[in-house]
Amino acid sequence: MKNMVVTIARQYGSGGKTIGEMLANDLGIPCYGRQIIKFASEDSGISEQIFSRFDEKLDMSLFKKLTKNIYSGRLLSPESSGFVSDQNLFNYQAKIIKSMAEEGSCIIIGRCADFVLRDYENVASVFVHADEDFLMEMAMERNSMTEREMKRYIEKVNRHRSDFYRHYTGCDWSDARNYDLCLNSGKLGFARCVEEIKSYLKIRFEK
C-alpha cells in the first residue's frame, strides 16, 4: 500500500500523543496534532486563535451537547454568515486531515480523524485508554495541580473530547467498535503500545 495512516484517539493522561510520536519516530513518518490547526488557519484565512478556542471541544451549551452535526465535508465560503462557525472550522480541519492522508504516510492525533478518514482503506484507527490511577499519575507529572483539581481536569478534558466526537460523528468516543485497535497504556506501557500498533500494521498492510 502506497500510504499508511494511523489515527490515535486518546484519553487525557493515557499518553496517546506520546505513543503517536514514538510510533512516528520508529516508522520515520510525521506525526500531526495541533499543527492541523495552523494548516487549517492558513488554508481558510481564519485566525489560528479562533481554531484554538474550538480545538477538540464544543461550547458547553446544553443545545450543543444534545444535538449532532455529523461531518459531511461541506465548506462554507468567506461570504457565508457561518464561515467561522464551529462546523466550518471542523470541516476545514477535516480537509487538512484528508490531504495529509492522501499525501503520504503519517500519524494523526485526535480531531475525529478516524471518522473523517473512515472510507480510506489505508487507515488504521487506534484508541488509547487507561485506568483512573494511571491517568492521574501521568497527568500529575505534567501539571501543577492538586490531586482533586487534576481529577476534575481529566474528567473535563475527556468529557469535552467525548462530546466533540459525538457531535461531529454521531458515535460514542469510547466505543471500541469505532476503532481497529484499543490499547490500555497503563497495563502495556508506551513502548509496548507502539510495538502492538506496529504488529497490527504489519499484519494488516504488509500482505
Side-chain angles (χ1 to χ4, degrees):
M1 185 159 293
K2 185 177 180 181
N3 297 336
M4 180 175 62
V5 179
V6 179
T7 67
I8 298 181
R10 74 284 183 226
Q11 289 184 314
Y12 186 85
S14 68
K17 179 183 175 184
T18 300
I19 290 167
E21 291 170 345
M22 291 169 63
L23 178 64
N25 184 63
D26 278 9
L27 298 178
I29 61 178
C31 179
Y32 298 111
R34 286 189 59 84
Q35 301 97 317
I36 293 169
I37 293 175
K38 179 177 183 295
F39 298 147
S41 173
E42 292 172 351
D43 185 61
S44 64
I46 298 171
S47 165
E48 190 171 338
Q49 289 184 329
I50 293 176
F51 275 101
S52 294
R53 288 199 299 269
F54 158 85
D55 192 32
E56 289 195 286
K57 58 182 177 289
L58 297 170
D59 68 51
M60 297 309 290
S61 67
L62 182 62
F63 175 75
K64 276 286 184 67
K65 291 182 70 174
L66 295 178
T67 58
K68 298 174 183 176
N69 203 343
I70 298 174
Y71 168 69
S72 64
R74 178 172 173 262
L75 291 170
L76 300 178
S77 67
E79 296 77 25
S80 170
S81 60
F83 183 60
V84 294
S85 65
D86 288 357
Q87 180 69 48
N88 208 41
L89 296 175
F90 180 87
N91 289 351
Y92 266 106
Q93 290 191 67
K95 177 186 176 184
I96 297 300
I97 288 169
K98 285 185 172 181
S99 296
M100 290 172 170
E102 291 163 4
E103 289 174 1
S105 295
C106 61
I107 314 295
I108 301 176
I109 308 296
R111 295 160 184 82
C112 304
D114 58 284
F115 186 83
V116 171
L117 302 176
R118 65 194 182 282
D119 296 325
Y120 286 56
E121 294 182 358
N122 63 328
V123 175
S125 57
V126 179
F127 183 77
V128 181
H129 62 99
D131 60 48
E132 183 178 315
D133 288 344
F134 184 83
L135 298 180
M136 280 287 292
E137 180 183 350
M138 292 297 102
M140 289 293 287
E141 289 181 0
R142 299 166 48 192
N143 298 275
S144 300
M145 298 184 188
T146 65
E147 288 191 4
R148 184 178 181 182
E149 290 171 337
M150 192 73 258
K151 182 178 179 180
R152 289 179 176 175
Y153 184 73
I154 291 171
E155 290 173 349
K156 176 183 177 182
V157 173
N158 287 335
R159 184 172 63 250
H160 280 197
R161 290 177 179 175
S162 179
D163 290 343
F164 183 87
Y165 190 89
R166 183 181 296 108
H167 185 72
Y168 290 105
T169 72
C171 302
D172 184 348
W173 178 62
S174 60
D175 189 336
R177 292 172 295 181
N178 297 326
Y179 308 98
D180 298 313
L181 195 62
C182 293
L183 299 171
N184 187 326
S185 58
K187 292 182 177 179
L188 293 175
F190 296 171
R192 183 61 184 273
C193 283
V194 171
E195 292 305 314
E196 291 297 328
I197 297 172
K198 287 163 62 177
S199 294
Y200 176 81
L201 296 176
K202 185 174 183 179
I203 293 170
R204 169 102 177 260
F205 296 124
E206 295 184 11
K207 298 179 180 179

